[in-house]
Amino acid sequence: MTHHDEEAAVRPPALAWVRRHLGADERIVRAEALLGGSTADMRRLTIGTPDGGTRDLVLRTFVDTEHAEDWLNREAGALTVLTGTGVPAPGLVAVDPTAAHCAYPSLLMTHLAGRAVLDDEGVEARVPLLARQLVAIHALRPAERPREYVALTTADTVVTPKGADAAAWTAAIGVIRQPAPPYEGRFLHRDFHPGNVLFDVPPARPTAARITGVVDWAATSWGPADLDVAHCSTHLALLHGPAWGLRFAEAYEEAGGVLAAAASERLYWRVRDGLACSEEVRSVSQPWREAGRTELTTRAVEGRLDAYVTALMDALG
């Protein structure tokens, strides 16, 4: 077995576990570390097939095991639900949520073609695609609902960036002190953003991009469509500028999605997600820099977050 680098090395117990889920005469011929994951280590495993060809699997490993069992059970359940729905998600091969077989809790799934695209170029073409894909996810009605969403951020845990618009942030924090608005539940990805969507982008035609997959279903929940829309909006605002964060909700409705009717209710969900991001700017922005967006320093992202929260309060507050 050939390793791309030291980080790609797979521990022997995991190798043995993976091999038990391969076909007859199949073998692992290569492991490659995948960048971009913030909660788990990701490795692409190239599998040699008896006919001389290859196929790829992805091994997702949680070294931090605090929430691993819950996340992996949720992801395995979501991938099972998504089979045959038309939503382009990985196929579940096997899961070891308690590390009964592997050194750490792990999940093995099929590999999807495509890549996450974080560049500014072509964003105007990708935003409608993201919106249509999210509408399709929210249209799913599984026989067994996933668990209700959890929102951990509170008014007292928000981290106001240095130099932020104090009045806007005080008003925004006041918004989430209020009870959550009533909502009609939907099947949520709960971490839907450009980093978890794979695209095929023709090199000479970035506007001809198409979605090939949606990954990272570990936070799948049941809750308001506004919450998923808010999360993607925040990420778009931080990656491409506040205007794109504001634009995404419009694109979602243009694609047939339904959001809360009252402006105050929409504001609640969008502000809640923006303020939640204030607590994890470093962890959110680091994978972006590793992927080539080196200008998105923690300070730069904090500045965009401030501008976005201020724009939300101006537009909807």
Side-chain angles (χ1 to χ4, degrees), residues 63-212:
V63 178
D64 180 355
T65 61
E66 183 180 0
H67 302 291
E69 182 177 357
D70 175 44
W71 286 338
L72 287 178
N73 281 327
R74 277 210 238 183
E75 183 152 33
L79 296 184
T80 300
V81 165
L82 292 164
T83 301
T85 63
V87 174
L92 177 66
V93 177
V95 63
D96 181 20
T98 61
H101 306 285
C102 304
Y104 298 102
S106 302
L107 183 143
L108 187 66
M109 56 191 154
T110 59
H111 177 267
L112 298 177
R115 61 184 178 87
V117 182
L118 307 179
D119 299 331
D120 287 334
E121 183 182 14
V123 65
E124 67 282 352
R126 295 194 303 274
V127 162
L129 298 180
L130 290 167
R132 287 198 290 271
Q133 184 61 76
L134 192 54
V135 169
I137 291 170
H138 291 166
L140 297 175
R141 297 292 183 270
E144 184 176 345
R145 293 179 181 178
R147 69 188 64 186
E148 200 78 8
Y149 81 93
V150 174
L152 299 178
T153 297
T154 70
D156 298 322
T157 58
V158 173
V159 180
T160 304
K162 291 181 180 179
D165 185 322
W169 280 73
T170 298
I173 290 170
V175 169
I176 68 167
R177 288 191 187 278
Q178 305 303 313
Y183 62 85
E184 183 178 353
R186 292 285 185 268
F187 184 87
L188 305 182
H189 181 283
R190 198 63 179 92
D191 195 19
F192 186 88
H193 60 76
N196 281 334
V197 179
L198 307 180
F199 285 88
D200 173 48
V201 184
R205 298 176 59 208
T207 58
R210 65 181 183 89
I211 290 177
T212 58

Side-chain angles (χ1 to χ4, degrees), residues 5-42:
D5 50 45
E6 290 300 321
E7 292 183 358
V10 181
R11 291 174 179 266
L15 285 176
W17 178 70
V18 170
R19 289 188 183 111
R20 288 200 292 274
H21 295 283
L22 300 181
D25 297 324
E26 288 190 327
R27 67 197 188 286
I28 304 169
V29 298
R30 185 183 185 191
E32 177 184 359
L34 299 176
L35 297 177
S38 59
T39 59
D41 292 336
M42 306 286 288

